[in-house]
Amino acid sequence: MILQYFKKKENEYKLIADSVYISSLKLSKNLIDQKFFKEKNFDSSFELITIILILYFHIFNKFDNPKYKKINDFIFANFVNDLDKGLRDLGVSDMQIGKYVKKYVKKFYFRLKKIDLILDDFSKNKVELYLNSLKNIDKLNISKLAQELINIKANIRKNNSYNLWFVENLI
């Protein structure tokens, strides 16, 4: 009976979502290390991981396939769990953690709405305009960060071609 659990398709979707989430974290860490933000803190890493995850969601939603919706759901679950863990590491108490997670999930959806407007035409000017609205960003490096994000969007499908092929071929 236990073997049936390991063969479920949801587990395969979760593995793909986990690898996508880990690669998103690595991309955001690389961008944080390049000093695009004035301070390296929770909010600046939240901004970058949000942008990168929205790029993945956008690419996966273009396929209009229920398999990708399930993967997006697992990616979002990883994101919420990571928010919870990160906030607890910052010292948020058990009594307040729900309120803080809810606040950041609302921020995520707000950013999703704003970024969704520019995703089809992800031009450097539009990305720079969005980045200018962020609080902690180093205004001198906005152009370079915008170009990095455009490159990330261009490479997401190429870098995850195996995962996309794998999902397409799941029975």
Side-chain angles (χ1 to χ4, degrees):
M1 292 191 115
I2 294 175
L3 291 177
Q4 291 175 352
Y5 175 76
F6 291 112
K7 291 185 177 184
K8 282 187 172 181
K9 288 182 184 144
E10 285 80 20
N11 292 336
E12 294 168 342
Y13 297 143
K14 182 160 179 21
L15 289 173
I16 293 168
D18 290 346
S19 72
V20 166
Y21 191 73
I22 289 170
S23 68
S24 299
L25 290 176
K26 287 179 183 176
L27 287 170
S28 68
K29 183 181 180 336
N30 287 341
L31 292 175
I32 285 285
D33 290 344
Q34 292 182 32
K35 310 253 190 253
F36 289 120
F37 286 85
K38 294 175 186 172
E39 294 179 37
K40 185 177 177 179
N41 58 21
F42 185 83
D43 287 332
S44 56
S45 62
F46 172 79
E47 293 293 348
L48 286 175
I49 193 67
T50 298
I51 294 169
I52 293 169
L53 287 178
I54 290 170
L55 295 176
Y56 275 105
F57 288 162
H58 180 73
I59 298 243
F60 286 170
N61 282 337
K62 280 199 171 216
F63 292 106
D64 196 28
N65 186 328
K67 297 172 186 177
Y68 294 105
K69 184 181 179 337
K70 289 179 184 177
I71 292 171
N72 281 346
D73 291 343
F74 281 117
I75 292 170
F76 191 73
N78 285 342
F79 175 66
V80 171
N81 290 335
D82 198 26
L83 272 176
D84 184 276
K85 183 183 178 323
L87 290 168
R88 286 179 192 275
D89 290 345
L90 288 175
V92 176
S93 70
D94 288 341
M95 296 298 288
Q96 294 181 331
I97 196 71
K99 181 172 77 172
Y100 278 89
V101 170
K102 183 178 178 181
K103 174 182 153 187
Y104 278 98
V105 168
K106 282 183 178 183
K107 283 183 174 186
F108 176 85
Y109 280 119
F110 176 76
R111 281 149 181 77
L112 176 65
K113 190 175 179 181
K114 282 182 79 173
I115 294 173
D116 195 40
L117 297 173
I118 65 171
L119 277 174
D120 288 327
D121 178 28
F122 205 60
S123 66
K124 193 169 183 178
N125 291 336
K126 290 183 178 181
V127 176
E128 287 178 4
L129 187 64
Y130 171 75
L131 292 174
N132 267 318
S133 69
L134 302 179
K135 291 180 184 175
N136 192 24
I137 196 155
D138 182 6
K139 302 289 185 195
L140 300 174
N141 291 325
I142 284 179
S143 180
K144 187 176 176 189
L145 177 58
Q147 189 59 51
E148 288 285 337
L149 292 172
I150 290 168
N151 293 340
I152 287 170
K153 184 179 187 261
N155 290 324
I156 283 176
R157 185 176 177 136
K158 184 177 90 176
N159 291 339
N160 288 290
S161 59
Y162 170 73
N163 287 340
L164 298 173
W165 175 86
F166 185 71
V167 171
E168 288 296 325
N169 292 300
L170 282 176
I171 297 173

